[in-house]
C-alpha cells in the first residue's frame, strides 16, 4: 500500500526518550527479534489484499451514490492546508470523508460523484505532478498511483474543476482539454441528462459537507471552502444545496473488518506507548519526560500522529480533563493520568490509564480508582445491541454515585448536581476516524465507542460553588472527605466494540485492575533495572 503521509513529532522529546526506552528488555537493532518482556510490543501493521480494499472503497462510493440518487451530484474537497506560522504549514491530514471514499492523502484532490451519469459517474480531480514542487515538498500522486489507491479510473487535472462546475451550473455538456484528461475509460465528456433535466424542474441537488442552515450564520472551522462553494452556487441553477454529512455519519458508524484492523493497530500502538510510559515514570522528574516515551513509541511504530494531543498529568494536574501542557513535576506518591491515543491510517485510538508513580496505590487512591473501575465494568454489562450511549452513562453514573456517597464526597445520591462536581463529563463517545467520531442512535454490532468514567477531586472545586445556604451546608458535610481525597484525579478509558453478544474490549491487553497495574509496573521496572 502506498502511504503518502507526513508525520510531526517533537524531536527534542524523542531524543530524551531514546536512552531510557532502549534500556528495556527489547532490542531494536537491525535484524533483531524483540525479546519478550512485560511491555507488549505492537504486532505488525495489517496488510490488506489490494483487490478487496478497492472493492470496499467502490462499495462505499456506490452506497453514497445510491443514497443521493440520480438527480444529484456530490462534491468532496481535500482538506485545506493550515498555516502554523508565515510560510510553514501544519502537517497535512486529509478530510475524513474524502479519505473514506478514496484513500487519497494529498492536497487539492476533489471527488465528484454523479450517479445519473452513465459515462462518468465518478471523476477525480488531482493536480498534475510538478518536478519543481516535488523538489520542495515531496512526491505527488501520478494518475496511476491515484487510481491504484482509490480505484477511480476517471482522473482529470485539478484545473478542470472550475470550468466543469460552471458548465454544470449552466446545464451544459463539458469536455475537458484532452491534455488534462490524465486517465479515462470514457470519451472524456461529461453529460448528465438526468441531472440536467431535474435541474430544469428545480429538482436537482448538490451534496456538500456544508449545511444549508449554516450558510451565512457562522464560519465552519473545518469546512470553510464547502461553505464558500455553496454560497456562490447560483440559486437559479435549479440545484438545492444538501448536507452530505448525515450520509457519512451513518456509514462510518459501523466499522468494516478492515476498519477494525486499522483501529486495533492504532490501539496496539497506544497500548505499547502507555506501558513504556508506566515503566519509565518513576525515573522522571517532569511530565514531559513521560510524554517523550509516547512520542518515541508513536514514531517507532509508524503512527501517522496522535489522534488528539497527549494528556500527561501528575497529581492535581490529573484533575484537568484536557491537560496538555505536560510541564508539571512527577512526584512519588502521586497518581499520573495519561490520555494517549495514536492515529494510524486515519483511525484513532482513545486510551486513558491512571497509575501510581511509585508503583503502588495508596489506600485513598485505590478507593477512588476502584469506583471508576467498577463503573467501567457496569458499562460493559450494559453494552449490547439496542442500548445507547445514554444507557451506559446511566450505568456508570449509578456506580459512581454509590461510591461517592460511600466515601463522603456527596450527601445525596439522587442530587445529580452533587455527583457532577466530581464526574462532570459523559461516559463515552463514538470512536473512529475522529477521536470524537460521527454517529448516533442505538448500538449495533460493528460500532466502536469509549468507556471512560472518571472522578476528579479538584483543589478548587468547593471554592467555585455558588455561595448559597444549600451549598454551604453541603461543603461543611463533605469537607472531611474532600480534605482526604483532594488533588486526586482518576479516569480509565477503554475502546469497546459492540458485538452481537455484547461487547469486546479492544484495549483489553492494557492492564486495568489495581492488582494488574501494580503487577505490570513491578515487572516492567525490574526488567529495566536489570539492563
Amino acid at each position: 500500500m502506498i502511504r503518502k503521509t507526513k508525520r510531526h513529532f517533537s524531536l527534542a522529546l524523542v531524543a530524551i526518550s531514546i536512552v531510557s526506552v532502549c534500556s528495556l528488555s527489547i532490542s531494536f537493532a537491525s535484524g533483531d527479534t524483540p525479546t519478550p518482556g512485560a511491555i507488549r510490543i505492537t504486532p505488525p501493521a495489517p496488510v490488506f489484499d489490494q483487490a478487496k480494499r478497492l472493492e470496499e472503497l467502490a462499495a462505499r462510493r456506490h452506497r453514497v451514490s445510491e443514497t443521493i440518487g440520480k438527480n444529484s451530484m456530490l462534491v468532496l474537497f481535500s482538506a485545506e492546508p493550515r498555516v502554523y506560522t508565515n510560510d510553514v504549514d501544519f502537517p497535512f491530514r486529509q478530510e475524513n470523508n474524502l479519505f473514506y471514499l478514496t484513500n487519497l492523502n494529498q492536497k487539492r484532490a476533489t471527488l465528484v460523484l454523479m450517479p445519473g451519469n452513465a459515462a462518468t459517474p465518478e471523476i477525480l480531480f488531482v493536480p498534475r505532478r510538478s518536478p519543481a514542487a516535488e523538489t520542495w515538498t515531496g512526491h505527488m500522486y501520478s494518475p496511476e498511483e491515484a487510481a491504484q489507491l482509490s480505484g477511480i479510473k476517471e482522473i482529470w487535472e485539478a484545473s478542470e474543476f472550475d470550468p466543469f462546475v460552471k458548465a454544470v451550473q449552466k446545464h451544459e455538456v463539458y469536455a475537458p482539454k484532452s491534455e488534462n484528461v490524465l486517465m479515462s475509460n470514457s470519451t472524456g465528456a461529461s453529460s448528465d441528462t438526468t441531472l440536467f433535466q431535474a435541474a430544469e424542474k428545480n429538482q436537482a441537488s448538490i451534496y456538500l459537507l456544508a449545511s444549508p442552515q449554516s450558510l451565512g450564520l457562522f464560519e465552519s472551522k473545518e469546512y470553510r471552502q464547502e461553505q464558500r462553494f455553496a454560497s456562490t452556487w447560483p440559486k437559479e441553477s435549479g440545484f438545492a444545496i444538501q448536507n452530505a454529512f448525515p450520509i457519512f455519519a451513518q456509514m462510518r458508524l459501523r466499522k468494516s473488518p478492515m476498519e477494525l484492523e486499522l483501529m486495533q493497530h492504532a490501539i496496539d500502538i497506544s497500548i505499547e506507548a502507555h506501558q513504556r510510559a508506566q515503566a519509565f515514570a518513576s525515573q522522571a522528574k517532569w511530565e514531559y519526560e513521560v510524554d517523550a516515551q509516547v512520542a518515541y513509541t508513536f514514531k517507532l511504530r509508524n503512527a501517522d500522529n496522535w489522534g488528539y494531543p497527549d494528556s500527561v498529568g501528575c497529581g492535581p494536574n490529573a484533575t484537568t480533563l484536557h491537560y496538555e501542557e505536560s510541564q508539571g513535576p512527577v512526584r512519588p506518591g502521586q497518581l499520573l493520568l495519561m490520555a494517549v491515543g495514536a492515529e494510524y491510517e486515519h483511525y484513532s485510538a482513545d486510551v486513558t490509564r491512571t497509575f501510581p508513580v511509585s508503583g503502588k496505590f495508596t489506600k485513598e487512591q485505590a478507593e477512588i480508582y476502584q469506583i471508576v473501575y467498577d463503573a467501567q465494568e457496569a458499562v460493559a454489562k450494559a453494552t449490547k445491541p439496542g442500548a445507547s450511549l445514554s444507557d451506559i452513562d446511566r450505568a456508570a453514573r449509578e456506580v459512581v454515585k454509590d461510591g461517592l456517597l460511600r466515601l463522603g464526597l456527596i450527601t445525596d445520591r439522587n442530587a445529580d448536581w452533587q455527583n457532577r462536581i466530581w464526574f462532570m463529563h459523559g461516559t463515552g463517545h463514538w470512536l473512529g476516524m475522529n477521536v470524537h467520531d460521527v454517529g448516533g442512535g442505538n448500538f449495533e454490532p460493528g460500532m466502536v465507542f469509549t468507556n471512560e468514567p472518571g472522578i476528579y477531586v479538584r483543589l478548587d472545586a468547593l471554592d467555585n460553588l455558588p455561595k448559597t445556604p444549600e451549598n454551604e451546608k453541603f461543603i461543611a458535610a463533605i469537607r472531611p472527605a474532600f480534605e482526604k481525597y483532594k488533588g486526586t484525579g482518576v479516569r480509565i478509558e477503554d475502546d469497546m466494540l459492540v458485538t452481537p453478544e455484547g461487547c469486546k474490549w479492544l484495549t483489553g491487553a492494557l492492564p486495568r485492575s489495581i492488582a494488574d497495574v501494580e503487577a505490570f509496573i513491578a515487572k516492567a521496572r525490574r526488567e529495566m533495572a536489570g539492563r
Side-chain angles (χ1 to χ4, degrees), residues 61 117-124 143-144 147-148 150-156 176 178 180-190:
R61 295 194 297 271
N117 190 327
T120 55
E122 50 188 28
I123 305 173
L124 181 64
E144 293 75 18
Q148 178 188 0
S150 67
I152 298 171
K153 300 299 172 59
E154 190 70 32
I155 303 177
W156 298 357
S178 59
N180 286 339
V181 178
L182 307 181
M183 179 179 289
S184 181
N185 285 339
S186 69
T187 62
S190 175

Side-chain angles (χ1 to χ4, degrees), residues 149-191:
L149 283 166
S150 67
I152 298 171
K153 300 299 172 59
E154 190 70 32
I155 303 177
W156 298 357
E157 210 280 325
S159 63
E160 292 291 337
F161 178 72
D162 286 343
F164 161 77
V165 167
K166 288 182 172 60
V168 171
Q169 292 172 345
K170 297 176 183 178
H171 311 167
E172 295 177 352
V173 174
Y174 181 73
K177 297 177 181 178
S178 59
E179 65 269 24
N180 286 339
V181 178
L182 307 181
M183 179 179 289
S184 181
N185 285 339
S186 69
T187 62
S190 175
S191 176

Side-chain angles (χ1 to χ4, degrees), residues 74 81 103 120 158 192 211 248 260 269 311 342 348 373 384 391 440 466 472 480 495:
L74 170 80
N103 208 33
T120 55
D192 197 330
S211 166
F248 290 102
L260 290 173
I269 295 171
S311 181
S348 180
Y373 178 91
K384 57 184 177 181
D391 292 334
E472 293 298 329
D495 302 338

Side-chain angles (χ1 to χ4, degrees), residues 91 105 135 171 207 285 346 430 436 486:
N105 197 32
T135 297
H171 311 167
Y207 278 83
K285 290 184 171 61
H346 259 64
W430 303 115
H436 295 131
K486 67 181 180 181

Side-chain angles (χ1 to χ4, degrees), residues 462-483:
L462 301 185
D463 298 335
N464 293 328
L465 292 176
K467 304 301 180 184
T468 66
E470 181 185 17
N471 284 345
E472 293 298 329
K473 182 179 179 181
F474 169 75
I475 291 171
I478 69 159
R479 175 67 72 177
F482 174 77
E483 294 298 328

Side-chain angles (χ1 to χ4, degrees), residues 81-90 107:
R82 304 295 183 182
V83 176
Y84 173 70
T85 178
N86 193 24
D87 62 349
V88 177
D89 287 344
F90 282 101
K107 304 172 188 176

